[in-house]
Amino acid sequence: MLSETQLWTWFLFNSGLSPQRAKALLTQWQSQDLSLQAALDMLPAQNQKLGLTKDEAQTLTAPQNCPELPALRWNESLYPQGLQELPLKLRPALLFYTGDSQLLSRPIVYLYPDPLSPNTEEMLREVISLLLGENLLLAAFHDSPQAMLLLHEMSDSEGETMLFAQQGLDQLALPQQTQALVEEERLIITTPLPPGSKPNPAWGPILEQIAIAAARHCIATTPPSEQPAASKPTLLLSDNPVIPQTHLHVTNNPIEALVWLTDIPGLSPEPQAPLPTQPPSPEPARSPEDILRTLETGGQVPDILRKRLLGK
C-alpha cells in the first residue's frame, strides 16, 4: 500500500490533473478531514461529494507502485508555517528534501541572493560566522554567492544550514564535501519542484517568493523591494544611507545581527519589542561590550554567544 506522501506525489504530478486542480481538491478534502487515500477509496461512486466530475473520478486510479521520495506535505508539522501564508497558486503542496527534516523545526533566516561587493561580502561572512551554531537555520539558494559563503564557513565551524534547490533534487549534482554535510545531518536541501525538473530561469521569482515565505527573518546586502518581503524583518548590511522602510534594520556592524535576532527562541529568553524604523544613515558601530549589555537585559546570555562577542 502506498504511503500518503507517495499518493500526493502521484496525485499532484502524474494523475492527469493539473497541479493547481490537484491542490484545490487536496484543500477541499483536508477541510472535510479526508486523507487522499480515503478520498480515492470513495471513487467513483461519490464523485459529487468530493467535487469531482465523472470523467475525473473515472480516471483517478492510484498506481500500484510509486517511488518513495522524501517530502513534507503541507499538513505536516515540520512544513514551514510561513508557507501557509502563500496563496494557493504559489503554496507548495509538497516540499521535497534531502537531509535531516528535523532541521526545519528551527527558525529560518534567509540570505537574499544579492550581488556582493568586497565590503558586503566581508560583512556577510562575519554575520554567518556569528550565527552558525545558534538555534536557527541559515538558508540560501544553491549556487548563490551566499550559499558559497555558508558552505565555506561550515567547513571551519559548527552549525547547520539549508539550501534551496532550483531544480528537482535528482537533477542536482553535489560536490563530495557538500554531500558529506548532508550525510552528517548538518545540511538540508529543499525544493518544491518534483523530480525531473531542470533549472529554468522563469521559476526564479516564484522560488524566491517561496524562500522568503518560509523564512522568519531575512538578511540582505542591497535594499529589498517592498513586495513580497515587506512583512519579513530584514537586516540590511550596508554602508550607504537607505530610505527607512518598515521591518528594515540597516547596519554596517555585523555584530548588530545578534541584537536584531534576539526575538528568536534560543538566543533570548524573552521576545523583544520590534526594532524601531532606522534613520536614513547607518548608526555608529557599537562595541561588543555594549551589545553584550543590551542582550543581558533580556536575561542570561549563552556562553557560546558571550565568547563570540568578546572574541574568546
Side-chain angles (χ1 to χ4, degrees), residues 10-88:
W10 160 78
F11 188 65
L12 287 158
F13 305 112
N14 295 297
S15 66
L17 300 176
S18 72
Q20 293 303 322
R21 172 65 171 152
K23 288 198 294 183
L25 290 168
L26 287 171
T27 300
Q28 175 187 331
W29 298 339
Q30 187 174 336
S31 69
Q32 297 171 329
D33 292 326
L34 287 174
S35 68
L36 177 54
Q37 181 65 68
L40 293 174
D41 290 343
M42 296 167 63
L43 296 177
Q46 301 186 54
N47 66 290
Q48 290 185 336
K49 181 178 180 180
L50 294 174
L52 291 164
T53 67
K54 286 186 177 180
D55 289 342
E56 287 175 330
Q58 290 173 353
T59 58
L60 285 177
T61 303
Q64 295 298 314
N65 296 297
C66 187
E68 183 72 65
L69 302 170
L72 288 172
R73 306 187 305 276
W74 65 22
N75 59 353
E76 294 188 89
S77 61
L78 288 175
Y79 183 89
Q81 288 304 300
L83 296 181
Q84 302 288 4
E85 301 171 6
L86 288 171
L88 184 63

Side-chain angles (χ1 to χ4, degrees), residues 209-223:
Q209 288 187 64
I210 292 172
I212 293 170
R216 184 181 298 185
H217 293 67
C218 301
I219 297 177
T221 54
T222 60

Side-chain angles (χ1 to χ4, degrees), residues 286-307:
R286 299 168 63 185
S287 68
E289 291 78 11
D290 183 29
I291 291 176
L292 181 59
R293 285 192 292 271
T294 300
L295 293 173
E296 286 176 333
T297 62
Q300 184 176 358
V301 178
D303 287 340
I304 186 171
L305 197 51
R306 182 185 299 274
K307 290 178 181 178

Side-chain angles (χ1 to χ4, degrees), residues 97-114:
Y97 69 89
T98 180
D100 181 10
S101 62
Q102 291 297 320
L103 293 176
L104 293 174
S105 65
R106 302 183 185 183
I108 297 170
V109 180
Y110 170 62
L111 310 181
Y112 278 94
D114 297 329

Side-chain angles (χ1 to χ4, degrees), residues 62-174:
Q64 295 298 314
N65 296 297
C66 187
E68 183 72 65
L69 302 170
L72 288 172
R73 306 187 305 276
W74 65 22
N75 59 353
E76 294 188 89
S77 61
L78 288 175
Y79 183 89
Q81 288 304 300
L83 296 181
Q84 302 288 4
E85 301 171 6
L86 288 171
L88 184 63
K89 184 177 181 179
L90 294 177
R91 189 192 325 147
L94 287 173
L95 196 62
F96 298 94
Y97 69 89
T98 180
D100 181 10
S101 62
Q102 291 297 320
L103 293 176
L104 293 174
S105 65
R106 302 183 185 183
I108 297 170
V109 180
Y110 170 62
L111 310 181
Y112 278 94
D114 297 329
L116 295 176
S117 67
N119 188 39
T120 55
E121 179 175 335
E122 185 55 36
M123 283 194 286
L124 183 58
R125 186 188 302 275
E126 188 171 344
V127 167
I128 290 171
S129 177
L130 287 167
L131 298 183
L132 269 177
E134 303 300 338
N135 186 34
L136 49 81
L137 192 64
L138 293 175
F141 272 114
H142 181 260
D143 282 342
S144 69
Q146 288 71 16
M148 299 300 103
L149 287 177
L150 274 174
L151 295 174
H152 183 268
E153 290 299 315
M154 287 185 72
S155 65
D156 297 322
S157 64
E158 299 178 349
E160 296 78 29
T161 59
M162 175 168 72
L163 297 181
F164 294 102
Q166 302 182 69
Q167 64 259 66
L169 294 179
D170 63 330
Q171 304 292 308
L172 195 63
L174 298 178

Side-chain angles (χ1 to χ4, degrees), residues 258-291:
L258 298 171
V259 177
W260 174 70
L261 288 170
T262 51
D263 64 323
I264 290 185
L267 290 183
S268 176
E270 298 293 338
Q272 303 295 308
L275 288 167
T277 301
Q278 299 300 303
S281 298
E283 295 179 354
R286 299 168 63 185
S287 68
E289 291 78 11
D290 183 29
I291 291 176

